[in-house]
């Protein structure tokens, strides 16, 4: 979502800049040479078309609905694309300490991968939940219990303000001997 927002924001800004520049050019052209106006935008014909419209016109209502839907889409996109920080315990009341979910996943993943029985592992973290998926050559249930303990120990070492739920799944893979 953040990538989409990073693409849309400059496009909207460019669109507004072009519209603003067009308005300035048309205004200056009208002031300097009224006979040469309009330069780019056919605003006299647009003005004549708009003069006959009222708030009850179907086209006015359709444009209002489209603008409202686009505005709502942009608002929702901005709300969804916000940063999802993981809050840590504040050292003093005036200081707020956060980390990224990626950093939390990296810390947990490092401890999970350092386990002797783990062949590979992936960790996804958020402020509410940490999901660990690991592969092992040994029986999965034994490794799952020890990995769960290891993740719990890692979370106890970290000064998290709120402890996330933990889900650990382990699969047994066939190794090459």
């Amino acid at each position: 979502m953040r990538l989409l927002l990073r693409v849309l924001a400059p496009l909207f800004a460019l669109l507004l800049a072009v519209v603003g520049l067009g308005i300035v050019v048309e205004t200056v052209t009208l002031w300097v040479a009224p006979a040469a106006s309009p330069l780019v935008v056919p605003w006299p014909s647009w003005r004549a078309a708009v003069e006959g419209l009222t708030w009850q016109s179907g086209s006015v209502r359709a444009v209002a609905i489209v603008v409202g839907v686009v505005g709502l889409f942009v608002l929702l996109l901005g709300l969804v694309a916000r940063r999802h920080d993981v809050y840590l315990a504040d050292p003093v009341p005036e200081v707020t300490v956060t980390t990224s979910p990626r950093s939390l996943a990296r810390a947990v993943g490092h401890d999970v991968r350092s386990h002797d029985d783990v062949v590979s592992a992936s960790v996804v973290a958020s402020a509410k939940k940490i999901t660990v998926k690991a592969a092992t050559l040994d029986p999965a249930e034994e490794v799952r219990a020890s990995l769960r303990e290891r993740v719990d120990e890692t979370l106890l070492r970290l000064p998290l303000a709120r402890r996330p739920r933990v889900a650990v799944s382990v699969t047994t893979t066939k190794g090459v001997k």
Side-chain angles (χ1 to χ4, degrees), residues 53-145:
L53 296 177
T54 65
W55 287 108
Q56 285 76 27
S57 301
S59 58
V60 172
R61 289 183 180 186
V63 167
I65 290 171
V66 168
V67 168
V69 168
V70 169
L72 186 61
F73 172 73
V74 171
L75 177 68
L76 291 175
L77 186 65
L79 290 174
V80 170
R82 66 182 173 82
R83 284 184 56 111
H84 298 280
D85 290 334
V86 177
Y87 288 93
L88 302 177
D90 299 336
V92 292
E94 297 84 19
V95 177
T96 301
V97 183
T98 63
T99 188
S100 68
R102 176 181 262 173
S103 296
L104 178 60
R106 193 177 302 131
V108 172
H110 178 72
D111 284 348
V112 166
R113 288 181 197 94
S114 68
H115 192 283
D116 291 335
D117 297 330
V118 173
V119 176
S120 66
S122 69
V123 179
V124 178
S126 70
K128 295 180 181 179
K129 186 174 182 180
I130 297 175
T131 304
V132 178
K133 294 180 182 178
T136 182
L137 299 174
D138 297 331
E141 268 311 306
E142 296 173 12
V143 176
R144 183 186 176 287

